Amino acid sequence: MNIQWYPGHMTKTRRMIVDQIKNVDAVCEILDARIPISSRNPDVDDMTVGKPRLVVLNRVDQADPEMTKKWAAYFRGKGYAVLESDAKSGVGTAKFAATVRELLADKLKSYAEKGQVGRVVRVMILGIPNVGKSTFINKVAGRKTAKTEDRPGVTRSKQWVPIDRNLELLDTPGILWPKFDDQSVGMNLAYTGAVKDDILDVETLGCHLMSYLGENYPDAITTSYKLAELPLREQEENDIAYGYRLLQAAGRKRGFLISGGEVDTERMAKILLDEYRGGKLGRFTLETPEQMEK
Ligand code: G4P
């Protein structure tokens, strides 16, 4: 896999986070609601021990609404405050300040008791590249702030973004590295466009995505590709083999044929990925809270 993050970059980011953690009251990790496991960096838990945590499930406009509810309940159950957001259109972002104050209610109460009314609350924003950090911060701040540099290894001075009189965001160190623990993480990040899809060949990606969607969202596939019915998965048939058959069925329907009447499955795979990313097939979530417990 062509991974963009190297140990040196991770060490640097980690050092910046550990360095800055003492300056903030809470940590907000922005996740992609479609892939809350793959877009999460579990190392954050160790680096932020003891800090109240807020999880933003971003891109809810692209995720399965039922699954977003489940994910929100899951993270609440872990003691995190949760905000569902579509940072692009601004849905949910207005609740950020109130959510932070609720999360820090005890602390704010004790400040008030000590007469420190109006003390500024600071929140560190973290997230992998492309998850929507800048868009989210801009919406929450109500204006355009500088784009966080997301090339690994590029150091930027820390940036405090005032939200209101009593709330500031720290959007650096900001950028987390994705954790490519297993192949499915790399694939999920490629489907959603968080990493370039040259990490795997397009046809392999297409087979896996098609197999997942065929199994979990069959109606979306039959409707989008005008299939009377979906070929059923055979016993012992793996993702690649099943996904390949679905690509063939969809490609045939679209008329993507090559010499000898065979289906151009590579072309179909590219189309599938483009249409998935463009939201043309529907709203899907590719990971479940049950997988998190495994
Ligand atoms: P980053 O700072 O974490 O790297 O991410 P950034 O905010 O730059 O967002 C990356 C892309 O994701 C942007 O699209 C942005 O508009 C889009 N985005 C962010 N949040 C959401 C969301 O909740 N829903 C949807 N649908 N998209 C979101 P872009 O193509 O790079 O730019 P543009 O087309 O918006 O100009």
Side-chain angles (χ1 to χ4, degrees):
M1 275 199 225
N2 169 15
I3 300 173
Q4 311 155 314
W5 288 90
Y6 304 97
H9 300 141
M10 294 186 199
T11 309
K12 202 175 237 168
T13 310
R14 178 189 293 273
R15 205 180 299 132
M16 285 161 75
I17 294 174
V18 171
D19 213 43
Q20 291 300 327
I21 197 78
K22 56 186 178 301
N23 297 326
V24 299
D25 302 284
V27 172
C28 168
E29 189 175 10
I30 303 186
L31 302 182
D32 185 328
R34 299 169 296 177
I35 49 166
I37 300 175
S38 297
S39 61
R40 183 171 186 266
N41 187 314
D43 296 350
V44 170
D45 294 348
D46 290 338
M47 292 183 281
T48 63
V49 171
K51 288 287 170 187
R53 296 274 295 274
L54 167 61
V55 164
V56 171
L57 292 170
N58 192 40
R59 296 179 178 275
V60 290
D61 54 308
Q62 299 176 312
D64 174 345
E66 284 304 310
M67 289 304 296
T68 299
K69 272 189 220 152
K70 285 192 187 163
W71 273 111
Y74 173 83
F75 284 117
R76 281 197 186 99
K78 295 270 166 207
Y80 301 151
V82 179
L83 188 64
E84 295 170 29
S85 115
D86 162 4
K88 195 163 180 169
S89 68
V91 173
T93 52
K95 290 191 203 140
F96 179 78
T99 308
V100 170
R101 291 199 170 98
E102 202 180 309
L103 175 69
L104 298 175
D106 290 345
K107 199 166 187 178
L108 293 174
K109 202 167 142 223
S110 90
Y111 285 165
E113 280 163 8
K114 288 187 220 147
Q116 301 173 332
V117 182
R119 190 173 152 158
V120 175
V121 166
R122 295 199 167 98
V123 180
M124 179 188 281
I125 303 284
L126 299 172
I128 62 166
N130 213 33
V131 75
K133 291 180 298 300
S134 311
T135 312
F136 183 81
I137 291 171
N138 287 343
K139 274 287 182 327
V140 167
R143 67 185 172 285
K144 252 196 143 26
T145 58
K147 164 88 183 149
T148 301
E149 181 60 70
D150 60 4
R151 266 182 303 137
V154 175
T155 319
R156 252 199 16 182
S157 58
K158 68 171 186 270
Q159 180 173 317
W160 291 106
V161 181
I163 301 306
D164 59 31
R165 260 189 326 130
N166 306 117
L167 181 60
E168 282 182 1
L169 303 184
L170 174 63
D171 85 330
T172 330
I175 302 139
L176 289 178
W177 56 98
K179 215 164 152 93
F180 296 91
D181 279 351
D182 62 47
Q183 209 194 31
S184 74
V185 172
M187 287 196 295
N188 284 332
L189 294 168
Y191 300 151
T192 55
V195 298
K196 297 226 166 23
D197 57 11
D198 55 9
I199 58 158
L200 278 172
D201 79 84
V202 167
E203 210 168 348
T204 308
L205 279 176
C207 285
H208 280 283
L209 181 60
M210 195 54 137
S211 152
Y212 184 88
L213 295 179
E215 217 156 41
N216 294 279
Y217 298 100
D219 293 348
I221 296 300
T222 50
T223 310
S224 301
Y225 297 110
K226 301 193 170 53
L227 300 171
E229 58 184 13
L230 217 57
L232 288 178
R233 191 174 186 137
E234 280 162 17
Q235 256 187 351
E236 315 268 319
E237 191 174 32
N238 66 20
D239 285 353
I240 292 269
Y242 182 51
Y244 188 74
R245 282 204 299 131
L246 297 186
L247 282 181
Q248 282 180 315
R252 185 166 293 116
K253 202 73 195 179
R254 288 262 168 118
F256 296 163
L257 300 179
I258 41 180
S259 58
E262 279 199 31
V263 178
D264 186 347
T265 43
E266 191 179 339
R267 180 166 173 210
M268 188 56 229
K270 278 199 190 103
I271 297 281
L272 174 77
L273 289 167
D274 280 352
E275 293 185 342
Y276 170 80
R277 289 187 189 130
K280 294 204 179 106
L281 306 178
R283 297 166 63 178
F284 312 114
T285 299
L286 305 179
E287 294 177 321
T288 63
E290 290 75 36
Q291 286 168 270
M292 191 87 148
E293 295 300 314
K294 274 187 195 158

